[in-house]
Amino acid sequence: MSNKAKRACDRLLGKGYILIVSEKPKAGAAISKALSSEVTECRESGVPYWIIELRGKRYVVASTAGHLFSLFTRKRGFPVFEYEWVPRWEAERGASHLKKFYRVLSKLAKGASQYINACDYDIEGSVIGYMIINMLGNGSKSYRMKYSSLAPEELRSAFSSLSDMGWEMIEAGICRHELDWIWGINVSRLLSWVTRLAGEKRILSSGRVQSPTLTEAVDRYIDYMTFISTPKFSLKVELRADEDKISATHEESPFDNREVAKRKKENILKGKKGIITSAERSLSSIRPPPAFNLSELQYEASRIFGFSPSYTQRLAEELYLDALISYPRTNSEKLPSTIHHEKILSELSSMENYRSIAISILKTGKLSPVQGTKEDPAHPAIYPTGKRPSGLKRDSYKLYDLIARRYMAAFMDEAKIERVEFHIRAGGENLIAQAKSILKRGWTLSYPFSIGREKRINVKEGSELKVSSARISSVLPGKPKMHTKVSLLKWMETENIGTEATRAQIIDTLFKRGYLIYGKDGVKPTKLGMAVTMFLKEKLPDITKTELTRQFEERLFRIRKGEEKREDVVWEARRFITEELERAVNMEAELRDFMKMYLRPEVKCEFCEMPALEGGLCLIHHRALIGLADAIEKWEAAFNEDRDKVLAKIAKSTSVGKAIRDVAKGVIEKRIIL
DNA sequence: GCAAGGTC
Ligand SMILES: [Zn+2]
């Protein structure tokens, strides 16, 4: 910025103004542009602000970059409840970029005659704006501007109907910060302390969101390791009709008993031939999926490209800052009509890859995209802005393409699929073969990632078939999948803990702390992760439950409605945590020994490195032994074989959990008894 | 140093 322009900005500021505080530079730019056609853009140390005149009054639209202040304590040890709001750049490593925002906002806030909090209209936005006005301002009157998208007409109407600051929402927001801080800092310190007593010096952490997530990963791992169920037997038959190969399944498959399956198989092989007795056709329509919210984008990018959730988030944030896509940290699956779809689509139509699709949408004349059910108080679903991407790295372009295609798909027709179920009679047995064909591609022309393959079978009623082969395989229904980063993220979403902006980050924290690692089947806990989880479960059971978040939300909601006071809620949390921690400290030796047992067990499990708890087994192998004892008779009946043979089968089966195989081997080798 | 929550 030239010195001349800078002087012009300073001169305008000298004449007095009302300060509008926005949450991010993009929002500030949008607000100033919506309110006036003559905007003076100013910049100090790289931080932009905008000056406009409206009906004889001067306004300065300024911006922060999220939270400028956070809770901080100087005190060591626990319990600790002495905290204060401080500028983040002073207190946090890695927050130095906020110093320039702090300086510009300090200067602008001092000279303002009034304030308008125009941060996102949600609980955090209320705190962000309030803190800036309260900590940096001069005490002048303040107002709230409420909008749920950056559409100019909405911003204009929000500006013309300002409300009071919304103190209840601010109080609820501050309370959220305090409760998370009190729980998180105190329990983290307790954990670190106990671990130090147990002879290991490390910084550990626990929190309302991360701890239930860790527990979920551990629980799933244990389920996976100890999985066994009653086997069933599928009977698959390969047939031929001239050129065509047809895969069919016995209509009673899977069978409970292998002998029964064997008899049927022999009947079919003996019969040698089959005949199509009937063909049932069914049509189904598949509606286009709605435009992405962040977690669906993370899910699909993981499924289709193998991107981790935090990688996807980083790429999406870069695309957003390049103005190629809209705000990505949204929960919304809705595309409101205030977005200029026609303009975006015609811009997309100038891009080679999207031309024919975008043109065909525009030709229909009705631009009413599918709407999803999920909502967001401050942002719509993710959509391309229409700006042409150039010079993007490969992965960034892949993600952009996914977003653009998903956006266009929302405007397109349903896809139509025909399924045919062929009934086959062979050797006196009834078989079924499934065919699937796509009658109309519809939206899948734009978003071809979720329709599946066609499976055509060119036969009709009365066609004769030859039996080529038949195969029995045992299956174990209900095998759990180990978590991946993205399935953990989905779990957090369904449990409604964390936010779009933080979930991927929090999962990465669990890895950074050394609680979780990636094994070949997915996410698994380390020894430390297991120790922390068991400690929390056994010694502080209330903290690992998502129930805590539910109670949190209820109390915060009551504060928002003015039915409860922040001080009372914080005081209660403080009393509760004091009691819990005092109780813990009184059992110092017990806690230390518990942690020691998990970190450096004196007596190890017969089969692994974990501590032996009962009968020489760790909790996982103990549970596996019980599972095996439960299942063994059903296996004997299903295979119609004696115990030794069945145990040998289980010890080799890759369908049961590893801990089940371990204990089966142990029983065979007479290291343990069943 | 530890939380969870914003955004660069
Ligand atoms: Zn074990």
Side-chain angles (χ1 to χ4, degrees):
Chain A
M1 207 178 163
S2 70
N3 281 334
K4 197 176 150 201
K6 193 172 178 331
R7 275 199 302 276
C9 289
D10 284 341
R11 198 170 56 245
L12 285 171
L13 291 183
K15 295 180 185 167
Y17 53 88
I18 296 168
L19 183 66
I20 301 179
V21 180
S22 66
E23 191 162 319
K24 41 190 172 274
K26 281 208 186 259
I31 290 168
S32 55
K33 221 174 116 187
L35 298 185
S36 167
S37 53
E38 270 179 60
V39 180
T40 308
E41 191 178 335
C42 308
R43 195 172 278 272
E44 273 177 50
S45 355
V47 174
Y49 59 91
W50 302 265
I51 303 177
I52 54 177
E53 313 255 347
L54 277 172
R55 285 177 234 106
K57 282 187 190 162
R58 192 170 300 100
Y59 294 84
V60 173
V61 184
S63 152
T64 174
H67 282 290
L68 207 50
F69 295 88
S70 69
L71 291 173
F72 175 77
T73 189
R74 250 171 259 287
K75 292 230 166 166
R76 297 166 162 274
F78 67 91
V80 55
F81 303 105
E82 292 84 359
Y83 47 75
E84 55 182 338
W85 288 94
V86 300
R88 288 187 51 207
W89 65 268
E90 281 181 9
E92 266 173 62
R93 270 191 302 120
S96 55
H97 63 285
L98 288 175
K99 187 172 182 178
K100 51 184 193 282
F101 284 93
Y102 178 86
R103 281 194 8 213
V104 172
L105 280 163
S106 293
K107 170 181 153 179
L108 294 174
K110 270 196 194 74
S113 61
Q114 281 182 15
Y115 301 96
I116 298 172
N117 177 9
C119 294
D120 291 355
Y121 185 51
D122 52 31
I123 183 167
E124 295 299 329
S126 294
V127 176
I128 292 169
Y130 164 76
M131 282 295 160
I132 289 165
I133 293 167
N134 183 49
M135 308 282 279
L136 304 178
N138 55 27
S140 300
K141 181 116 185 72
S142 51
Y143 301 90
R144 185 79 161 109
M145 178 169 153
K146 303 175 180 175
Y147 57 89
S148 64
S149 85
L150 294 176
E153 49 272 47
E154 185 169 353
L155 292 173
R156 280 193 286 272
S157 93
F159 180 75
S160 66
S161 56
L162 299 174
S163 20
D164 71 43
M165 278 289 273
W167 301 106
E168 292 87 357
M169 206 194 263
I170 293 169
E171 285 293 295
I174 294 175
C175 190
R176 202 280 306 151
H177 282 260
E178 292 189 70
L179 293 184
D180 275 336
W181 193 94
I182 289 176
W183 277 96
I185 301 298
N186 280 293
V187 178
S188 295
R189 287 183 179 183
L190 170 75
L191 269 176
S192 305
W193 173 70
V194 170
T195 310
R196 196 165 59 242
L197 290 179
E200 277 194 41
K201 235 186 148 174
R202 2 188 5 155
I203 303 295
L204 300 184
S205 66
S206 169
R208 171 178 57 86
V209 179
Q210 66 170 258
S211 293
T213 306
L214 175 62
T215 302
E216 165 64 18
V218 168
D219 286 347
R220 178 65 66 84
Y221 174 71
I222 296 175
D223 287 348
Y224 179 81
M225 288 288 281
T226 59
F227 169 73
I228 185 165
S229 65
T230 309
K232 291 184 181 283
F233 302 90
S234 77
L235 174 51
K236 289 191 175 141
V237 183
E238 299 296 323
L239 306 108
R240 280 179 154 287
D242 301 328
E243 306 290 278
D244 269 333
K245 278 186 190 162
I246 298 168
S247 300
T249 309
H250 194 286
E251 72 170 7
E252 290 160 45
S253 174
F255 296 92
D256 291 337
N257 185 289
R258 189 170 63 158
E259 296 307 314
V260 177
K262 269 185 178 170
R263 272 206 307 280
K264 308 270 182 188
K265 175 182 163 184
E266 277 154 24
N267 292 343
I268 293 163
L269 289 176
K270 258 187 245 155
K272 286 182 186 163
K273 279 187 197 163
I275 186 162
I276 305 279
T277 54
S278 66
E280 282 166 26
R281 279 161 209 284
S282 61
L283 285 175
S284 57
S285 308
I286 308 172
R287 263 162 53 97
F292 284 129
N293 64 10
L294 182 59
S295 59
E296 185 65 12
L297 176 65
Q298 286 166 316
Y299 180 80
E300 288 289 269
S302 166
R303 179 176 75 84
I304 299 163
F305 308 131
F307 293 175
S308 78
S310 50
Y311 185 58
T312 296
Q313 184 166 343
R314 214 189 73 213
L315 295 182
E317 279 162 358
E318 286 169 9
L319 292 173
Y320 160 69
L321 291 174
D322 276 352
L324 291 168
I325 62 166
S326 63
Y327 182 83
R329 291 177 290 260
T330 174
N331 184 47
S332 172
E333 297 175 323
K334 296 183 190 302
L335 291 173
S337 55
T338 46
I339 298 170
H340 294 122
H341 297 303
E342 192 172 349
K343 186 157 169 275
I344 292 170
L345 286 163
S346 63
E347 274 157 356
L348 288 175
S349 76
S350 74
M351 300 178 205
E352 182 94 39
N353 293 347
Y354 310 135
R355 181 168 303 144
S356 63
I357 293 169
I359 287 175
S360 74
I361 296 169
L362 286 167
K363 248 195 266 172
T364 62
K366 52 168 178 51
L367 296 182
S368 45
V370 161
Q371 308 288 339
T373 51
K374 290 183 182 147
E375 294 178 320
D376 188 289
H379 308 279
I382 305 172
Y383 59 91
T385 56
K387 182 183 165 190
R388 175 186 288 271
S390 75
L392 288 184
K393 293 208 184 93
R394 234 180 88 208
D395 287 352
S396 298
Y397 186 74
K398 280 182 174 173
L399 201 70
Y400 175 83
D401 185 56
L402 199 69
I403 292 165
R405 290 181 170 282
R406 179 81 166 217
Y407 168 73
M408 290 189 294
F411 295 88
M412 296 171 76
D413 290 335
E414 296 177 332
K416 287 206 164 58
I417 283 177
E418 184 191 58
R419 284 172 215 279
V420 189
E421 196 174 274
F422 292 101
H423 293 254
I424 302 164
R425 188 83 178 154
E429 304 293 338
N430 295 325
L431 313 179
I432 291 170
Q434 308 268 7
K436 171 178 155 184
S437 46
I438 298 166
L439 299 185
K440 183 179 165 190
R441 296 224 159 244
W443 61 271
T444 67
L445 281 170
S446 179
Y447 195 82
F449 309 106
S450 49
I451 183 117
R453 286 242 177 98
E454 285 202 308
K455 202 168 134 198
R456 292 180 172 277
I457 299 180
N458 294 315
V459 291
K460 47 182 188 274
E461 250 172 79
S463 293
E464 287 202 12
L465 312 169
K466 278 192 189 118
V467 175
S468 332
S469 65
R471 219 184 97 214
I472 295 171
S473 46
S474 62
V475 287
L476 285 185
K479 183 170 186 168
K481 280 206 171 79
M482 242 159 93
H483 269 303
T484 58
K485 282 187 176 180
V486 78
S487 71
L488 269 180
L489 185 123
K490 276 270 163 185
W491 178 84
M492 295 167 87
E493 196 196 10
T494 45
E495 289 290 323
N496 213 357
I497 58 172
T499 68
E500 298 292 321
T502 59
R503 286 180 194 127
Q505 237 167 261
I506 287 172
I507 291 170
D508 282 354
T509 298
L510 293 173
F511 281 74
K512 229 170 16 206
R513 292 262 174 276
Y515 293 163
L516 297 176
I517 50 168
Y518 245 113
K520 64 178 191 317
D521 309 323
V523 172
K524 66 180 204 184
T526 60
K527 188 197 280 187
L528 181 65
M530 201 59 113
V532 166
T533 305
M534 290 308 147
F535 182 88
L536 293 174
K537 271 191 188 213
E538 296 263 327
K539 307 299 179 191
L540 296 168
D542 297 333
I543 288 175
T544 46
K545 292 177 186 150
T546 48
E547 175 61 20
L548 181 65
T549 294
R550 299 291 89 78
Q551 288 172 23
F552 250 64
E553 280 165 354
E554 188 142 325
R555 302 300 290 272
L556 297 186
F557 191 61
R558 288 176 57 79
I559 295 174
R560 275 176 75 161
K561 286 194 295 186
E563 293 172 3
E564 215 166 351
K565 275 204 152 55
R566 165 165 64 98
E567 287 77 9
D568 295 339
V569 177
V570 171
W571 188 254
E572 199 178 311
R574 183 177 165 159
R575 212 190 55 206
F576 183 63
I577 203 89
T578 307
E579 279 170 15
E580 288 274 306
L581 294 189
E582 266 171 16
R583 200 171 50 81
V585 170
N586 284 336
M587 328 188 285
E588 178 176 331
E590 190 189 323
L591 299 189
R592 178 199 60 207
D593 293 345
F594 186 93
M595 195 59 98
K596 211 186 252 174
M597 175 176 80
Y598 271 95
L599 294 176
R600 275 172 287 112
E602 276 172 28
V603 189
K604 284 182 187 166
C605 168
E606 181 73 25
F607 300 101
C608 73
E609 295 296 304
M610 298 234 299
L613 301 179
E614 254 177 273
L617 300 181
C618 70
L619 67 107
I620 294 179
H621 285 101
H622 181 253
R623 200 173 122 182
L625 186 64
I626 291 171
L628 179 63
D630 260 6
I632 190 83
E633 281 178 15
K634 290 168 200 149
W635 277 62
E636 289 167 11
F639 281 99
N640 201 20
E641 285 175 347
D642 63 28
R643 179 151 303 194
D644 287 350
K645 279 197 174 152
V646 166
L647 275 173
K649 266 203 178 75
I650 293 173
K652 274 190 292 184
S653 166
T654 52
S655 301
V656 302
K658 181 182 176 295
I660 296 280
R661 285 199 296 278
D662 292 341
V663 292
K665 248 177 258 170
V667 173
I668 294 168
E669 293 163 3
K670 303 206 177 350
R671 290 158 72 191
I672 46 168
I673 42 173
L674 197 56

